[in-house]
Amino acid sequence: MAPEARRAQLLDVTSDLVLREGYAAVSIDRVAREATIARTVVYAQFGNLQGLLEALLERTQQRAIEQVQAVLTGTGVRPDRADIDGLIVEAARTFGEMVLADPGTWRLALLPSDGAPSTLRERTEESRRAIRAIVQPVIRWITVERGGLEGVEDELAARAIVTLGEDAARLMIADPEAYPPERMAAFTGALLRTLRS
């Protein structure tokens, strides 16, 4: 197997193990056994257990950030967009669809930090900062340049949106039938109408 493919395979095995049993269950021996390879292959790819876990956290962080960027790109954030409410509702629906298309990434990104390596909390907050940095200019554009939500502070709104997005992702992953993206989008639209009244 090519080194890149082997690395991806080992990260997938580690991710599955963390999601099933938590970070405490992860060891080089266990990952090698689950992947049916020699321990030396895992060491060759990651150096040690910390290297393996950090690589998993980095991949998860990168995927989550790329998906949030894709939501905003895909929903058409642009200066001539007149339908601000439609843009926000569309972004909520698209985000939900992405979460359900890749629940492993989001489950891992939103896991409680119990038993996780010490770098998890730092990485989680780093991811949140990066996602807020993507969301905040969009909020600023909506509130200032487009006059969409008068009086809303872009920094606080970005924090609130990231927190609400995380909670919505948890609900959709836990029970996608009860909390489909369409329900989240409809709620977002209703909330926006209430804010405007």
Side-chain angles (χ1 to χ4, degrees), residues 8-20:
Q9 177 211 19
L10 293 172
L11 290 174
D12 289 343
V13 166
T14 305
S15 175
D16 291 345
L17 186 57
V18 169
L19 292 173
R20 277 194 328 264

Side-chain angles (χ1 to χ4, degrees), residues 149-166:
L149 296 169
E150 188 177 332
V152 173
E153 292 183 41
D154 56 331
E155 179 195 355
L156 296 177
R159 287 179 173 275
I161 287 168
V162 170
T163 300
L164 289 171
E166 288 178 0

Side-chain angles (χ1 to χ4, degrees), residues 17-18 20-27 30-31 115:
L17 186 57
V18 169
R20 277 194 328 264
E21 301 178 35
Y23 283 99
V26 179
S27 69
R30 184 78 185 275
V31 170

